[in-house]
Amino acid sequence: MVNATTKNPPNLYLRIGLRFIRLFTSASLVAWLILLLFLLMILWMVGELRTRDMRYAQQQFDIQLQEVIQTIEQRMKAHEQILTGAAALFDASDAVSRYEWQTYISRLELPRYFPGIQAVAFARVIRPEDLQSHVQAMRAEGFSDYQLRPEGIRKLYTSIDYIEPFSGRNLAAFGYDMFSEPVRRAAMSMAVNEDATRISDRVTLVQENRGRVQPGLLMYIPIYDRTRPVATAEERWAALQGFVYSAYRMEDLMQGILGQRNLNIHFDIYSAPAPEENALLYRSHADASYTADPLFKQTLVINVYGREWTLVFTKEREILPSVWFRLDQLVLILGASISLLLFLLISFLANERQRARFLANRMTEDIQQNVQALRLSEERFRLALDSSSMGTWNWYLAENAIHWDESIYPLFGLSANHSLNTYESFLALLHPDDRARVFQEIASAMEGHVQYDTEYRIIWPDGSLHYIASRAKVLHSENHKPLLMTGTCWDITERKQIERMKNEFVSMVSHELRTPLTSINGAIGLLASGALDDSPEKTRQLIDMAYKNSQRLGLLIDDLLDMEKLSNGKIVYDMAQLPLVPLVKRALAENQIYADQYQITYRLQTELAVASVTLDATRFLQVMANLLSNAAKFSNAGNEVVVEIISLSEQWVRIAVIDQGIGIPAAEQAFIFEKFYQVDGSDKRKKGGTGLGLAITKIMVEQMNGKLGLESQEGVGSTFYVDLPLAPEQ
Ligand code: ADP
């Protein structure tokens, strides 16, 4: 047994393979074009999305970058404001005490409003001649171990006197001489020289005495003795009393400036016109590796209180989260998938359509061919039907309705408007002896046992017998119920007659020819043996018998030859206008021998004294001989055969031969004029005869423009009549 599962896969692969190959047929061209178009469109869309994203990111980057710069600048300005305020405090009073300084600064609430300032302080300028008194004054103020740091002899000293908040890291700055340190000195000098707020380069604040060291920055505003001129740098140096300044730890400052702002960009601040690593003030992200391959990078140089700062902004490439797609990727993947699906769909549809069209075309062609063939066969069938006088019928079983085509009605001797539409009305037409058999045959055909192929007899309304052959097929429903019986029938009466005639002829030949031949044979045999030489009487009888029999043979052969000639139109009629009555009388006289033989009498009965007809006298006498001999043969001894001459009309005369013999059954009357036809059961064999007489008679009468007719009743008698046209009166 074949296992279905082992059989299917190769088929499946084959089908998939075929489908795949079909993707490359011409039908798929449109699908390929659409796929290409879609892919191009998607690529374009993805490109657009990417550029748009990029443009947007660039804008965001620019905005944030500006925001950072602005915030830094604004905050630095605010820090300058604080210092300016502090400077104003000095300008406004002769001397600012530590307490006043403290009060002023604490009032500003720096940690709250300006986070990121490490210290706001005042560094007093001390000229070398005042150094001693300054140290003493400080110590007198309570800072007993006060010492200006670093120690040493310098041209100018500064001392961080007031520093707020005066606690923590800031304590380390107290008493420190910033002017001693070059970076700070540069910024301080610049502030004086340029009479402006200045910031320092990167420094390490003295406050960085613990923890992680941050780059530091200082902002200075010089304080002058307001009583002295400060127009020039020299005058300012001379009038210089000190500096108010802010100290910043850069990371704290930037933290204070940017606060919790969520920046998507990174930036470095260099306290130099170029991003030199040793000038790095601030780095927004501890890890500098992102700068290796940034998405955007922008370097800007800004001027911050006399110093050029370089700001390097970068935007790193975003690392995509693994679980989700970016929009453009999503579009790409979805778009490509949809395009592919669309392509397969269109390709499939196109192929299916082409296949469907191909199949439809083939089917149409087939149908056309079939229709053509059907038409031809119908034509042939119709021709066959027409020439064979065959009829077709359908019997719809559910409705018990029989539909006949119009050629059937004549077969049944009916007119076309006869209503014959049920099975029962059909059965009624059959010969009573055939009904049960046909009924049985139809029933068997419906059960599907046998073909319906039968012959039956029917009796026409005029009483004549006809033979019909019929063949039919039964169409069944799916559940084997008979639905329709469709068939044909045709008249086989002629064939039946021919068959019958043939049989009769054979038996006639075997009997009628052989019987006289046997007698002749026997007689001649006896004569030849010489046994009867001494008995002339016996010899004469034998010769007489042989003579009679050979005469009978001769007659038979004459009949056959006559028939043959008549059939081929070889007989020439010597037509002449003759008085009828004398001719009929002559016929009676010539056939008297029959009357004697069968012991009957012929009697002429005529009301017409004078009647002329046009005919061949010899042939007419032959006709009369036939009718008279038949009348004698089929009458009973002692009967009378009346020959009557009747005037039918002015044109027609009838010669009727009326016997009181055995008569002819109605069913046989139609065939009586056929060749070799002899009525069954008649004792014709005894009477001799060929069955050709009446056939010959009929043809002769008709060829002499007359009509031969018959009226007969079985057991009562027969009347054969010859109707002839009267010759015009002379
Ligand atoms: P046949 O040579 O047999 O007489 P016919 O053609 O003359 O041939 O007649 C054919 C048949 O018709 C006869 O065999 C007989 O059965 C029937 N027939 C003819 N004439 C008569 C008649 N007058 N009465 C009864 N039957 C007749």
Side-chain angles (χ1 to χ4, degrees):
M1 204 176 100
V2 181
N3 187 348
T5 51
T6 58
K7 233 183 136 188
N8 275 341
N11 272 343
L12 184 72
Y13 295 143
L14 193 71
R15 282 218 319 266
I16 292 173
L18 279 176
R19 278 271 145 83
F20 182 74
I21 289 168
R22 259 190 236 135
L23 294 182
F24 301 97
T25 59
S26 60
S28 296
L29 187 70
V30 176
W32 278 106
L33 285 177
I34 288 177
L35 177 68
L36 192 75
L37 199 78
F38 264 72
L39 286 179
L40 285 176
M41 232 165 73
I42 286 156
L43 282 181
W44 175 81
M45 262 166 71
V46 168
E48 269 303 288
L49 272 174
R50 288 237 162 114
T51 345
R52 215 187 59 183
D53 273 5
M54 206 59 121
R55 214 180 296 135
Y56 177 73
Q58 176 83 58
Q59 276 172 1
Q60 288 301 106
F61 177 71
D62 288 345
I63 288 169
Q64 290 204 336
L65 170 157
Q66 289 303 330
E67 206 177 304
V68 167
I69 292 174
Q70 266 177 23
T71 316
I72 290 173
E73 282 179 342
Q74 276 169 10
R75 188 56 77 90
M76 293 311 280
K77 191 148 258 155
H79 285 289
E80 189 198 12
Q81 289 295 312
I82 293 163
L83 286 186
T84 313
L89 186 65
F90 278 92
D91 288 347
S93 59
D94 293 342
V96 176
S97 70
R98 182 176 302 279
Y99 174 72
E100 281 167 342
W101 180 255
Q102 224 168 28
T103 313
Y104 174 73
I105 298 301
S106 69
R107 192 61 190 261
L108 291 177
E109 288 191 68
L110 293 179
R112 183 169 163 196
Y113 295 112
F114 301 96
I117 300 185
Q118 176 58 37
V120 181
F122 171 67
R124 193 182 302 277
V125 167
I126 301 153
R127 293 181 175 82
E129 58 273 22
D130 301 326
L131 182 59
Q132 204 56 46
S133 58
H134 167 71
V135 172
Q136 278 168 4
M138 287 301 276
R139 286 183 180 164
E141 206 183 324
F143 305 105
S144 53
D145 54 352
Y146 173 82
Q147 186 62 52
L148 188 74
R149 287 171 295 123
E151 289 177 56
I153 296 161
R154 296 184 287 272
K155 277 187 185 158
L156 192 74
Y157 306 93
T158 63
S159 160
I160 299 172
D161 275 7
Y162 307 154
I163 183 161
E164 285 301 326
F166 194 39
S167 59
R169 287 175 184 275
N170 283 344
L171 293 179
F174 184 62
Y176 175 66
D177 177 6
M178 292 186 288
F179 208 69
S180 67
E181 194 276 317
V183 176
R184 292 170 174 80
R185 184 166 63 235
M188 293 161 107
S189 302
M190 220 155 47
V192 177
N193 290 340
E194 292 166 21
D195 192 18
T197 309
R198 283 294 173 260
I199 59 164
S200 71
D201 198 351
R202 185 177 86 159
V203 295
T204 302
L205 294 180
V206 287
Q207 285 95 326
E208 295 293 348
N209 52 4
R210 58 189 142 96
R212 203 171 64 81
V213 176
Q214 293 183 15
L217 190 71
L218 298 148
M219 180 186 270
Y220 296 100
I221 293 182
I223 307 290
Y224 303 108
D225 177 354
R226 284 292 153 197
T227 58
R228 300 175 65 163
V230 288
T232 66
E234 252 174 40
E235 284 170 346
R236 285 197 290 280
W237 277 112
L240 187 65
Q241 285 194 322
F243 296 88
V244 286
Y245 80 93
S246 303
Y248 310 100
R249 297 178 82 212
M250 265 323 273
E251 280 164 23
D252 294 350
L253 174 69
M254 294 315 293
Q255 180 66 33
I257 292 176
L258 300 171
Q260 296 306 312
R261 208 174 298 224
N262 190 13
L263 285 178
N264 286 326
I265 56 173
H266 304 319
F267 62 95
D268 293 348
I269 304 175
Y270 298 93
S271 172
E276 295 154 12
E277 202 51 35
N278 55 8
L280 182 70
L281 277 178
Y282 174 73
R283 176 156 281 163
S284 64
H285 285 64
D287 180 12
S289 63
Y290 63 86
T291 51
D293 180 27
L295 184 62
F296 306 120
K297 181 169 182 171
Q298 176 93 347
T299 305
L300 289 173
V301 178
I302 56 170
N303 197 304
V304 188
Y305 299 107
R307 287 217 66 82
E308 283 189 321
W309 277 8
T310 302
L311 282 83
V312 180
F313 293 91
T314 48
K315 162 95 181 157
E316 68 180 300
R317 286 179 196 282
E318 275 163 54
I319 298 153
L320 294 174
S322 55
V323 288
W324 192 234
F325 300 104
R326 267 177 27 193
L327 185 61
D328 53 352
Q329 285 174 328
L330 198 71
V331 167
L332 187 66
I333 291 165
L334 276 181
S337 316
I338 291 170
S339 305
L340 202 67
L341 282 178
L342 205 69
F343 160 70
L344 290 175
L345 189 74
I346 292 173
S347 161
F348 174 76
L349 287 179
N351 275 306
E352 286 304 296
R353 232 183 70 179
Q354 204 190 36
R355 235 164 54 124
R357 204 183 298 141
F358 173 74
L359 283 179
N361 282 346
R362 218 169 57 181
M363 271 161 70
T364 314
E365 268 171 32
D366 283 357
I367 289 171
Q368 276 169 353
Q369 278 174 5
N370 288 344
V371 166
Q372 198 71 19
L374 194 70
R375 232 179 252 150
L376 223 95
S377 109
E378 258 181 20
E379 207 69 41
R380 277 198 213 115
F381 183 55
R382 182 54 42 205
L383 269 173
L385 282 186
D386 286 352
S387 52
S388 68
S389 68
M390 199 182 252
T392 59
W393 52 270
N394 290 316
W395 177 22
Y396 299 92
L397 297 164
E399 304 104 64
N400 182 21
I402 296 182
H403 291 182
W404 283 14
D405 80 4
E406 38 190 49
S407 351
I408 285 201
Y409 291 91
L411 300 183
F412 283 77
L414 300 170
S415 63
N417 51 16
H418 184 95
S419 64
L420 182 139
N421 47 17
T422 64
Y423 184 41
E424 291 70 28
S425 57
F426 159 71
L427 281 180
L429 291 174
L430 302 190
H431 191 289
D433 294 347
D434 290 350
R435 264 178 219 155
R437 177 179 55 82
V438 171
F439 181 86
Q440 189 51 48
E441 282 170 348
I442 288 178
S444 300
M446 272 200 229
E447 284 165 20
H449 301 317
V450 287
Q451 287 282 357
Y452 179 71
D453 184 353
T454 192
E455 292 174 4
Y456 48 77
R457 288 170 293 173
I458 48 170
I459 299 162
W460 280 19
D462 66 4
S464 57
L465 185 81
H466 294 257
Y467 287 83
I468 297 284
S470 185
R471 241 177 242 168
K473 265 201 157 23
V474 181
L475 304 184
H476 292 89
S477 70
E478 277 173 11
N479 50 10
H480 309 296
K481 215 179 133 200
L483 293 177
L484 169 75
M485 197 164 173
T486 177
T488 51
C489 49
W490 61 99
D491 192 300
I492 52 162
T493 310
E494 198 171 343
R495 197 189 84 204
K496 283 279 169 192
Q497 283 164 11
I498 290 169
E499 271 171 23
R500 186 170 163 169
M501 285 190 308
K502 198 184 79 195
N503 293 340
E504 300 256 340
F505 181 68
V506 169
S507 75
M508 185 277 293
V509 166
S510 64
H511 184 263
E512 304 299 331
L513 291 183
R514 186 167 293 155
T515 312
L517 261 181
T518 314
S519 314
I520 294 167
N521 237 5
I524 292 175
L526 266 175
L527 288 172
S529 69
L532 298 173
D533 281 352
D534 52 346
S535 171
E537 181 54 22
K538 280 255 163 119
T539 306
R540 200 196 56 82
Q541 275 178 1
L542 280 176
I543 291 173
D544 189 42
M545 190 171 82
Y547 172 69
K548 274 189 184 153
N549 275 304
S550 53
Q551 256 189 335
R552 207 169 138 196
L553 269 180
L555 271 176
L556 186 63
I557 290 163
D558 279 352
D559 266 3
L560 282 170
L561 290 176
D562 268 357
M563 192 67 234
E564 203 270 336
K565 279 189 204 151
L566 280 170
S567 302
N568 297 322
K570 281 182 193 161
I571 287 189
V572 182
Y573 291 84
D574 181 14
M575 300 291 273
Q577 193 174 328
L578 299 166
L580 180 63
V581 180
L583 260 182
V584 174
K585 281 184 178 162
R586 191 175 147 192
L588 288 178
E590 280 183 7
N591 287 285
Q592 187 55 45
I593 181 172
Y594 282 108
D596 297 344
Q597 196 178 334
Y598 293 100
Q599 297 163 28
I600 53 127
T601 42
Y602 293 141
R603 182 164 62 86
L604 176 66
Q605 186 179 313
T606 174
E607 53 198 41
L608 285 175
V610 187
S612 273
V613 287
T614 307
L615 37 67
D616 179 322
T618 316
R619 300 298 167 198
F620 178 71
L621 287 173
Q622 204 178 332
V623 165
M624 287 309 291
N626 250 323
L627 297 181
L628 287 169
S629 66
N630 277 348
K633 272 198 286 183
F634 300 108
S635 287
N636 303 311
N639 282 164
E640 186 179 54
V641 172
V642 179
V643 178
E644 201 175 10
I645 303 174
I646 314 156
S647 164
L648 288 180
S649 66
E650 284 186 4
Q651 283 87 32
W652 288 90
V653 65
R654 167 170 292 181
I655 304 111
V657 180
I658 307 157
D659 68 50
Q660 297 152 350
I662 57 170
I664 301 164
E668 314 248 357
Q669 290 177 13
F671 313 118
I672 209 81
F673 298 106
E674 305 289 341
K675 294 172 205 163
F676 302 113
Y677 195 92
Q678 292 181 312
V679 174
D680 266 339
S682 67
D683 45 1
K684 60 188 189 273
R685 301 277 172 246
K686 282 183 277 167
K687 322 263 179 198
T690 58
L692 282 172
L694 282 176
I696 294 170
T697 304
K698 186 168 186 329
I699 297 172
M700 281 182 173
V701 168
E702 280 168 6
Q703 287 183 348
M704 289 190 291
N705 307 317
K707 284 179 212 154
L708 179 64
L710 161 69
E711 279 165 14
S712 180
Q713 206 177 341
E714 212 178 342
V716 177
S718 310
T719 301
F720 284 88
Y721 50 82
V722 179
D723 292 346
L724 290 169
L726 284 165
E729 297 278 339
Q730 296 259 303

